[in-house]
Amino acid sequence: MSSLPTKNIETIAIHGSMKQEPGENEPLVPGIELSTIYEHRKEGQQDGDWKYTRISNPNRVQLENVLKDLEGGDACAAFSSGIAAISSVFQTLEAGSHLLLPEDVYFGTRKLVWEFAERWNLEADFIDMTDLEVIKSSIKENTKMLWLETPSNPRLLITDVVEVSKLAHKNGAIAAVDSTWPTPYNMRPLELGADIVVHSTTKYLGGHSDILGGAVITKENNELFEKIRTIQVIQGAAPSPQDCWLLSRSIRSFPYRMRAHNENARKVADFLVNHPKIMKVYYPGLESHPGHEIAKEQMKDFGGMISFLIDGTKEDAIAVASSSKVITAATSLGGIESIWEHRKSSEGEESKTPDNLIRLSVGLEHPDDLIADIEQALG
């Protein structure tokens, strides 16, 4: 749990990666420890000594401390990318285990399962994670993990974290949540009953589209976490000291950025839902969203992501996404700048995303400028 005497996320974000017991007249901001090696003591290597930066590094420890405190977890392992973090969680499963995932899920997660589940001797099924009866009927004797993504990518479907976690535990399985989209500002899955939280820290936690990273936070510092730590160290997908330092710095402003992402997305969603050229808007903050009531229960706010269907063809959607002047047409999300994309073009022919769907990451520009840009692009 947090080593700071507070549960307030704004204070944790600012102070959580700082030195907890600084000496007098020391730098306020920790420096970047670039050395890959550390000198042994005269009496040889001692327990707790720094050894080699792949194993541990002061900047990575600072980052892991603030991330676990933001989520209210007991342990954290930082990775060099979000997909490396996701991969580490799947690799904790024993051969022959069964894994359940949402049918609407980040395409990188789907590709990871397609490419490696069989090689790791794992069974996997993609199901409707919004329906508890479907989940119950899909659980097998060897089901060991339920993977949740809520809101989901790209259709922002909502899964009940409390009820699905209970269902997982009742059947001896682990509940793991990719919480990249809501972030710990809007939702804390460990407090809702989940065992594992995963983030692509590239997104909102980094927030500036200039850092690649991932993280796994566990509710307890137990055998499960030790498996994840072993994968991190032995496979070597550890972030650099520079990236850890940059990410810790970015996290200090993260709660205030999220407030603006939330506020801007609400205004943009309200505009889109009433536009005659939009068939459907996927945003859990809308009362018309089928998961709105569950989202209200488990989320503080609804995030900065919106997806919507153009009333037209694939070509029409591509034309809209390429016609903006303020919003950048690009992949990824969670930066201070607004970006959108024709999602199926990014995912490729294997994608199950609708042909006419545009995924929008609402940034921190003035919402009036964003709405005006969307209006002219749709026109």
Side-chain angles (χ1 to χ4, degrees):
M1 296 301 161
S2 176
S3 52
L4 292 169
T6 180
K7 292 184 178 180
N8 294 313
I9 196 167
E10 296 85 354
T11 306
I12 292 170
I14 291 172
H15 293 283
S17 61
M18 302 290 196
K19 292 182 179 179
Q20 296 302 306
E21 296 179 3
E24 293 183 6
N25 200 33
E26 288 193 2
L28 177 65
V29 178
I32 304 175
E33 295 277 356
L34 294 176
S35 180
T36 57
I37 59 174
Y38 297 86
E39 184 178 5
H40 293 185
R41 300 172 189 263
K42 290 181 179 179
E43 60 271 25
Q45 190 74 43
Q46 305 293 306
D47 288 343
D49 284 356
W50 303 108
K51 299 177 183 177
Y52 184 60
T53 204
R54 171 170 57 82
I55 298 170
S56 191
N57 170 275
N59 297 112
R60 191 155 85 239
V61 169
Q62 290 156 5
L63 173 62
E64 291 173 346
N65 281 340
V66 71
L67 288 170
K68 76 175 177 63
D69 288 350
L70 288 172
E71 284 290 359
D74 203 30
C76 173
F79 288 83
S80 55
S81 69
I83 202 68
I86 294 168
S87 177
S88 77
V89 175
F90 293 161
Q91 289 181 75
T92 65
L93 295 171
E94 298 297 325
S97 296
H98 179 236
L99 168 68
L100 288 175
L101 305 98
E103 58 186 5
D104 189 62
V105 69
Y106 167 50
F107 193 68
T109 302
R110 186 184 297 277
K111 286 281 284 184
L112 182 67
V113 171
W114 283 347
E115 293 288 337
F116 292 100
E118 187 174 340
R119 300 188 204 182
W120 294 335
N121 195 18
L122 300 177
E123 295 179 51
D125 287 313
F126 295 90
I127 64 169
D128 181 0
M129 278 281 184
T130 68
D131 190 326
L132 288 175
E133 293 306 314
V134 170
I135 300 171
K136 288 177 185 177
S137 65
S138 301
I139 291 175
K140 304 178 182 181
E141 286 189 11
N142 63 332
T143 301
K144 299 301 180 185
M145 183 175 290
L146 275 62
W147 183 266
L148 290 69
E149 195 180 89
T150 180
S152 66
N153 182 0
R155 289 191 290 136
L156 292 105
L157 306 180
I158 299 298
T159 298
D160 190 327
V161 177
V162 172
E163 293 303 318
V164 175
S165 296
K166 287 179 183 176
L167 199 54
H169 298 153
K170 182 180 178 181
N171 289 274
I174 291 166
V177 182
D178 183 337
S179 199
T180 298
W181 280 24
T183 78
Y185 185 82
N186 287 325
M187 187 175 76
R188 299 193 3 148
L190 300 180
E191 295 179 357
L192 298 172
D195 305 288
I196 295 175
V197 176
V198 177
H199 286 284
S200 171
T201 55
T202 309
K203 310 303 192 296
Y204 286 105
L205 289 163
H208 293 77
S209 305
D210 57 5
I211 310 167
L212 189 68
V216 179
I217 302 101
T218 58
K219 194 169 191 174
E220 298 178 12
N221 190 352
N222 53 14
E223 183 182 355
L224 173 63
F225 178 74
E226 284 307 311
K227 290 180 181 178
I228 291 166
R229 179 70 86 193
T230 298
I231 292 164
Q232 177 205 41
V233 172
I234 301 302
Q235 295 189 357
S240 71
Q242 176 84 16
D243 283 350
C244 292
W245 185 91
L246 282 170
L247 185 53
S248 295
R249 182 212 54 186
S250 294
I251 285 171
R252 290 170 198 143
S253 65
F254 146 74
Y256 291 91
R257 286 188 279 107
M258 282 311 302
R259 290 184 189 180
H261 285 297
N262 290 336
E263 180 181 344
N264 284 0
R266 283 195 299 273
K267 292 178 180 178
V268 171
D270 287 340
F271 164 76
L272 288 169
V273 80
N274 294 309
H275 199 285
K277 293 187 179 180
I278 303 298
M279 286 178 58
K280 187 177 181 71
V281 179
Y282 299 102
Y283 179 68
L286 296 171
E287 292 186 5
S288 58
H289 190 289
H292 176 69
E293 291 303 318
I294 295 172
K296 271 204 315 184
E297 286 294 317
Q298 65 188 23
M299 298 177 73
K300 177 180 176 180
D301 210 329
F302 303 106
M305 296 300 300
I306 304 171
S307 289
F308 55 95
L309 303 180
I310 296 292
D311 187 6
T313 64
K314 172 182 177 181
E315 289 69 29
D316 293 329
I318 292 172
V320 169
S322 63
S323 298
S324 53
K325 301 182 185 304
V326 176
I327 302 169
T328 303
T331 298
S332 199
L333 56 103
I336 57 174
E337 65 288 317
S338 293
I339 62 173
W340 63 3
E341 64 178 335
H342 177 251
R343 185 60 185 161
K344 191 159 189 175
S345 295
S346 296
E347 293 179 346
E349 291 304 314
E350 298 171 311
S351 170
K352 297 182 180 296
T353 297
D355 283 342
N356 57 338
L357 182 141
I358 291 176
R359 192 185 74 177
L360 169 61
S361 173
V362 180
L364 306 189
E365 302 92 344
H366 195 285
D368 291 351
D369 294 329
L370 297 175
I371 289 169
D373 193 34
I374 296 168
E375 180 74 88
Q376 69 82 24
L378 289 168

